[in-house]
Amino acid sequence: MASGFPAEPPVGAGYVLNGFPAPGLRKTVRHITGHNLDGQSVFLSTDCGAHHRVMGEQQAVANILYSTKETPVDLNDEADLKYAAETEPGLHIHNGSVVRMIDFAPNVESPLHRAVSIDYGIVVEGEFKLILDSGEERIMRQGDISVQRATAHKWHNITGNGTMPGRMLWVLLDCKEVVVNGKVMEGFLGDLAKEYVGLEPQEGD
């Protein structure tokens, strides 16, 4: 079994062309829409996302497809476009949202971690094992969805019995403090913290 994500990542950059750890997965395409001066809906851009980060020792690639800093989101004067283009978020954004896709190399298992947020996870390609800190686990296949309610967990890419890459998409939204039996559930990243070097927790305005 792979050992997780032990190495410090390079600074987030453009689409990863060399050393891609998940060969065989096609390049992700992102379409952003808006309005022209007549109020008609138009495509503003088509690209592969603005922030990419190689994770661990060439074990995964994270692609931030979009992020926002507030709820409701201000779409006027391209405020949201500017924020998303200029900001590579941490794990999640207080009062905001993060849409993150991760391409996993074969047999990679993430460190145990907890984000104090509500996270919608969708298997885009492949097969994954979702493992909770209680020891409970579930197999997720293409199209399956998890709703992580600030729970401690890890992911294991078991696509092709651990021989093929896999892809997952998450939408992370902020939540209020979570208290269980009088105890506050604290967020932690474990070894995954190395993947967010230089990325401070993001605060919405």
Side-chain angles (χ1 to χ4, degrees):
M1 182 179 294
S3 60
F5 304 92
E8 291 189 4
V11 174
Y15 194 79
V16 177
L17 297 176
N18 298 316
F20 183 55
L25 297 179
R26 68 176 183 83
K27 182 182 294 188
T28 299
V29 177
R30 176 184 72 169
H31 305 285
I32 298 178
T33 65
H35 299 90
N36 63 20
L37 294 179
D38 295 324
Q40 296 174 311
S41 300
V42 296
F43 289 103
L44 300 180
S45 63
T46 295
D47 56 29
C48 297
H51 307 284
H52 301 81
R53 180 172 286 258
V54 176
M55 304 178 78
E57 296 176 345
Q58 301 292 311
Q59 291 172 302
V61 171
N63 181 356
I64 303 299
L65 295 174
Y66 213 68
S67 62
T68 63
K69 66 176 181 177
E70 59 196 353
T71 303
V73 181
D74 183 4
L75 303 181
N76 296 298
D77 300 319
E78 300 186 342
D80 64 309
L81 293 171
K82 184 174 186 295
Y83 179 83
E86 295 178 353
T87 306
E88 183 185 2
L91 191 60
H92 72 284
I93 300 173
H94 297 301
N95 299 317
S97 68
V98 176
V99 183
R100 175 183 286 108
M101 180 174 283
I102 297 183
D103 293 343
F104 291 79
N107 203 35
V108 164
E109 181 174 316
S110 76
L112 185 71
H113 61 284
R114 184 203 311 276
V116 183
S117 56
I118 183 164
D119 308 340
Y120 308 125
I122 304 105
V123 178
V124 178
E125 296 190 42
E127 189 172 351
F128 288 81
K129 184 181 291 185
L130 171 57
I131 306 164
L132 306 182
D133 63 349
S134 65
E136 291 187 78
E137 57 186 50
R138 294 288 187 274
I139 302 298
M140 291 180 57
R141 298 175 176 86
Q142 186 176 37
D144 289 350
I145 301 168
S146 66
V147 180
Q148 290 279 349
R149 300 173 60 253
T151 47
H153 65 283
K154 56 183 177 178
W155 296 97
H156 183 194
N157 175 22
I158 58 173
T159 307
N161 292 318
T163 65
M164 299 172 62
R167 171 175 285 169
M168 286 202 64
L169 176 73
W170 288 272
V171 179
L172 296 89
L173 305 174
D174 199 19
C175 68
K176 295 182 179 180
E177 185 177 72
V178 178
V179 180
V180 178
N181 196 27
K183 180 181 178 181
V184 175
M185 295 292 100
E186 300 286 351
F188 65 91
L189 293 177
D191 287 342
L192 195 60
K194 298 181 179 69
E195 307 312 321
Y196 297 94
V197 172
L199 299 178
E200 299 301 324
Q202 301 293 315
E203 296 284 348
D205 289 346

